[in-house]
Amino acid sequence: MQNLKDWETVIGLEIHAQIISKSKLFSGASTNFGSEPNTQVSLVDAAMPGMLPVINKDCVEQAIKTGLGLNAQINKRSVFDRKNYFYPDLPQGYQISQFTQPIIGEGSIEIDLKDGSSKKIGITRLHLEQDAGKSIHDLEPNKSYIDLNRSGVALMEIVSEPDIRSAEEAQEYVKKLRSILRYIGTCDGNMEEGSLRCDVNISVRKKGEELGTRSEIKNVNSIKSIGQAVDYEFKRQTEIINSGGKIDQETRLFDEKKGETRAMRTKEEAHDYRYFPDPDLPPLEIKDDWINQIKKKLPELPDVKKEKLIKEHKISSYEAAILVSDKNNVEFFDKIINENKKRNPKNIANWIIGDLFSLLNKNNLEIKNSPVKAEDLGGLIDLIEDSTISGKIAKNVFEEMFKTKKKAKDIIEKKGLKQITSTDEIENIIDKVLNNNKDKVEEYKSGKEKLFGYFVGQVMQETKGTANPGIVNEILKKKLAN
Ligand code: ADP
Ligand code: MG
């Protein structure tokens, strides 16, 4: 066994986020996902000789919005560079990107951790660049195909500082970044479709020492994989160093099936790419006026909404963080509150985070496709609050609602689940139970007080769980005291 106590993981993430925009970064071709191959390729995207790129203003605006969402410096002057490399799906022979002068400079993101603490992760930069096309190798054994639909699509590359120290922090960082992008509508954050792709840079060191040599794990494309890749690399790298070896700076691939990383190539240096300013594009200059206009249009960000939820509704920071992690959660919550201001916000949060999320997870559903709509959950909560049903019965009713899409009211009526609150009725049932259990009543009175729970259970059984537990307890106590 290695002693890993003194070691720590150092992680920096590079995220490629596809910009939500009708057309590409330097051409008018469409960016629709899933169209027939090579149907969305302009002459610019195919790199025909003599074609000239023209910057798409919408994409620039999206980058500025994102910069504002990341509390980052907006650089009023930035420069597009050519990053030269050969790849069959890159017809230009270079990618137009930004290198020394990106559009967005330093910023930060605040993440919430399981232990209740929060941490600031620095953003180094955000730059604009074009995506490449796609090579397809698995259609025929001896041929490869190229689909250029993606060629030229606008990406934001968002680079973090090496501030991340664990798999959990890396995952929370990506989740938080994704939620910010979705709130402001600059990237749909869909990792399965590849609109958000993550490269994980990771090194290990003894605490307090200089940064170690990193490996870069390419295209780790789910939150789960990010956690696995970090854990795997930590183990691999510490093992190598502990047995006297040295980490090579290399690019590695994550194998989702095996949960392992493996070497792909040694890392290129910046000079391998022979970066130079693209002579076809003048430097990008942004005026204060425009930035201010964009600022005014910016929607409320998750951190601001979170503070509001805590202040207005007195829910915990943990609950608020979960709710704001997805815009759809907040909308669900707000809808229930706004429909009836008397509803208890804490109960609503508990129902969403507890019972609803658990069933959604089990059924692999997203909240926007929930079979129980916000107004239906609101209706159920009202029926608990006005004592029509008990909290316990409500759990079963909720499951039934989820399964059948029926309203709480209808299920309760049909199944006779209405809570019995009439003291007379409950007293009758208690009398019956005590009469049928005379021997146990004697035992109870001679000191076996544990039997109280048994009597409660019997009453509940008689009433199929619908007797109001408070009233049952009260009357039972009185009766057993004589
Ligand atoms: P490149 O463009 O060559 O990948 P960058 O300098 O842009 O290199 O760094 C890429 C990422 O690697 C950044 O997110 C940065 O925080 C991270 N990083 C840099 N050094 C280390 C290190 N020693 N360990 C872990 N991550 C690192
Ligand atoms: Mg890199």
Side-chain angles (χ1 to χ4, degrees), residues 257-273:
K257 286 204 191 85
K258 296 195 177 132
E260 300 172 357
T261 68
R262 59 169 181 273
M264 187 162 102
R265 53 178 147 89
T266 55
K267 172 109 185 104
E268 290 93 329
E269 299 290 336
H271 60 249
D272 295 330
Y273 290 120

Side-chain angles (χ1 to χ4, degrees), residues 56-62 64 68 103 284-297:
N56 177 343
K57 190 174 174 191
D58 282 350
C59 294
V60 177
E61 176 158 338
Q62 292 287 58
I64 296 172
L68 294 170
I103 181 166
L284 186 60
E285 303 211 349
I286 298 167
K287 297 235 158 60
D288 277 324
D289 263 5
W290 195 26
I291 300 176
N292 287 332
Q293 273 173 36
I294 297 174
K295 240 183 221 161
K296 275 192 214 129
K297 284 190 295 188

Side-chain angles (χ1 to χ4, degrees), residues 101 132 160 224 253 255 290 330 392 424:
Q101 297 182 71
S160 88
K224 186 174 155 212
L253 266 184
D255 182 328
W290 195 26
V330 178
K392 205 159 165 205
D424 287 349

Side-chain angles (χ1 to χ4, degrees), residues 411-464:
I411 295 170
I412 292 163
E413 220 151 88
K414 189 150 164 258
K415 296 203 158 179
L417 297 173
K418 230 172 137 173
Q419 185 162 235
I420 307 175
T421 48
S422 140
T423 43
D424 287 349
E425 203 174 323
I426 291 178
E427 194 168 348
N428 279 339
I429 296 162
I430 289 179
D431 285 342
K432 192 170 140 205
V433 166
L434 297 183
N435 254 326
N436 290 340
N437 290 286
K438 288 209 175 98
D439 46 340
K440 293 221 167 58
V441 173
E442 282 313 309
E443 282 179 52
Y444 177 86
K445 286 188 174 164
S446 58
K448 205 167 167 197
E449 291 188 358
K450 269 202 307 219
L451 281 171
F452 192 79
Y454 171 81
F455 297 126
V456 175
Q458 290 297 304
V459 175
M460 285 304 179
Q461 211 171 39
E462 279 292 316
T463 59
K464 295 203 191 73

Side-chain angles (χ1 to χ4, degrees), residues 14 16 83 157 159 199 201 214 216 218 267 273:
E14 289 165 273
H16 287 93
K83 180 179 183 181
E157 177 168 337
V159 182
D199 299 342
N201 291 270
R214 73 187 146 119
E216 178 172 354
K218 281 277 173 201
K267 172 109 185 104
Y273 290 120

